[in-house]
């Protein structure tokens, strides 16, 4: 990374808080809320994502953001790139005809959906969220995009929890993370 990029990455890192034993004992929760409170840190996140897209993905038609924190960063990146933004939501939250996939959670299953007309076949999409842990939600988003015959250019997150091996679940799709723990 260029010197400016390294400084931005350090700024982002300083704006992530760790909360031990949340939401339950034994979990170290990485909180991105301080990033949202800091215009400089938020700008740094979007700058770093934009730099990555422009240097590695020559053409992206849509940014796909996951419910709910992908909604915070995805539209800002989409606006910078001059492309559209698409929502992936929990089942029952979108109007009109939708496409849905079920996926596994730690304690059961869930469903994610997007509107049927959100992505046209062949469109190049980049999927964004705040965090990659086990990869379940990002995997569901990839499956939704496959159902809509999109070309998945990769996934982007602010934080990747490497010990949980979520990136392995997403193969063959690439994962770019700003910070790894």
């Amino acid at each position: 990374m260029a010197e400016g990029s390294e400084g931005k990455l350090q700024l982002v890192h300083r704006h992530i808080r760790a909360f031990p034993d949340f939401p339950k004992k034994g979990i170290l929760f990485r909180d991105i809320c301080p990033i949202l409170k800091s215009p400089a840190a938020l700008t740094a996140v979007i700058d770093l994502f934009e730099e990555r897209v422009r240097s590695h993905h020559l053409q992206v038609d849509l940014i796909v953001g996951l419910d709910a924190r992908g909604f915070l960063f995805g539209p800002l990146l989409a606006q910078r790139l001059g492309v559209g933004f698409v929502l992936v939501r929990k089942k029952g939250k979108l109007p009109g005809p939708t496409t849905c996939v079920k996926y596994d959670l730690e304690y059961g299953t869930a469903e994610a959906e997007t509107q049927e007309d959100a992505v046209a076949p062949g469109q190049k999409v980049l999927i964004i969220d705040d965090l990659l842990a086990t990869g379940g939600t990002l995997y569901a988003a990839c499956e939704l995009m496959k159902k809509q015959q999109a070309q998945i250019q990769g996934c982007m997150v602010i934080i990747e929890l490497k010990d949980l091996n979520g990136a392995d679940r997403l193969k063959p799709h690439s994962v770019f993370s700003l910070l790894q723990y």
Side-chain angles (χ1 to χ4, degrees):
M1 281 187 186
E3 185 61 30
S5 296
E6 188 59 39
K8 289 175 184 179
L9 196 56
Q10 290 173 8
L11 177 64
V12 172
H13 186 265
R14 287 193 308 268
H15 282 82
I16 294 175
R17 293 185 295 194
F19 285 97
D21 298 323
F22 181 83
K24 65 180 187 175
K25 190 163 183 62
I27 293 179
L28 181 62
F29 186 87
R30 303 289 178 171
D31 180 23
I32 59 143
C33 291
I35 292 171
L36 300 171
K37 287 179 18 180
S38 167
L42 181 57
T43 298
V45 167
I46 304 307
D47 286 351
L48 291 164
F49 281 162
E50 180 184 13
E51 178 183 301
R52 175 68 179 195
V53 170
R54 294 200 187 280
S55 66
H56 287 81
H57 302 284
L58 297 176
Q59 185 182 16
V60 174
D61 299 314
L62 296 168
I63 301 296
V64 176
L66 277 61
D67 195 345
R69 292 184 172 155
F71 297 176
L72 302 173
F73 303 99
L76 296 172
L77 179 59
Q79 184 180 41
R80 287 265 191 100
L81 298 173
V83 300
F85 177 75
V86 170
L87 305 169
V88 170
R89 299 222 50 199
K90 295 172 181 91
K91 186 167 175 65
K93 301 290 184 180
L94 291 171
T98 60
T99 301
C100 183
V101 296
K102 288 185 181 183
Y103 63 101
D104 293 327
L105 296 171
E106 188 175 353
Y107 300 108
T109 61
E111 293 180 82
E113 66 183 359
T114 192
Q115 292 173 317
E116 281 184 1
D117 62 354
V119 179
Q123 281 192 299
K124 295 177 179 163
V125 301
L126 186 61
I127 303 170
I128 190 168
D129 203 4
D130 67 323
L131 179 114
L132 172 61
T134 62
T137 310
L138 278 167
Y139 178 81
C142 289
E143 292 301 301
L144 276 172
M145 292 302 105
K146 287 179 193 173
K147 275 187 162 186
Q148 294 198 321
Q149 300 174 30
Q151 293 181 27
I152 301 167
Q153 302 297 297
C155 301
M156 298 179 82
V157 295
I158 298 170
I159 300 168
E160 180 179 358
L161 304 177
K162 295 291 275 185
D163 289 348
L164 298 178
N165 300 315
D168 291 343
R169 188 169 185 187
L170 300 174
K171 289 180 180 176
H173 307 297
S174 65
V175 175
F176 172 73
S177 53
L178 295 180
L179 300 168
Q180 300 83 34
Y181 293 95

